[in-house]
Amino acid sequence: MTRLTGTALRVTIFVGENDTWHHRPLHSEIVHRAHKAGLAGASVFRGVEGFGASSLIHTTRLLSLSEDLPVAVVIVDTEERVRAFLPQLDELVAEGLVILDDCEVIRYVGRGKNA
């Protein structure tokens, strides 16, 4: 199990839920690659409304646009490990936004194997 406390780096990737990589959801590909790379964790959050560089608003309130809602993938680990993972994001993310933030990990504890 990865141990993580103190100073860390958070990478957040904003893409559309319909974005794909080789016929697989892009957000799923990012999470699986992060897992394979041994990063501490990754989570996917589905937005209810948003817009990006195209300036087209995607929302759950308009039926015609509700099919491609914004998705954020958040990954936290040490700066060294996150920066080593960035080339994979360069390969995967053709359209979207990738941001880095310094953060501090206060608590990182997993469930026991019997939980």
Side-chain angles (χ1 to χ4, degrees), residues 45-62:
F45 301 93
R46 184 176 186 230
V48 295
E49 190 166 9
F51 72 94
S54 68
S55 201
L56 179 64
I57 294 179
H58 299 270
T59 177
T60 57
R61 292 180 290 137
L62 299 173

Side-chain angles (χ1 to χ4, degrees), residues 20-99:
T20 61
W21 177 260
H22 298 272
H23 308 290
R24 178 180 190 170
L26 177 58
H27 56 84
S28 181
E29 182 68 21
I30 293 169
V31 167
H32 283 84
R33 285 195 187 195
H35 185 258
K36 185 176 180 182
L39 295 174
S43 297
V44 178
F45 301 93
R46 184 176 186 230
V48 295
E49 190 166 9
F51 72 94
S54 68
S55 201
L56 179 64
I57 294 179
H58 299 270
T59 177
T60 57
R61 292 180 290 137
L62 299 173
L63 293 177
S64 63
L65 297 178
S66 64
E67 298 172 1
D68 193 24
L69 292 169
V71 172
V73 182
V74 179
I75 301 168
V76 176
D77 207 321
T78 64
E79 180 174 1
E80 179 182 348
R81 294 176 120 196
V82 168
R83 290 197 183 276
F85 187 68
L86 292 179
Q88 292 199 54
L89 295 178
D90 285 339
E91 176 188 358
L92 294 170
V93 181
E95 295 177 359
L97 175 66
V98 178
I99 61 172

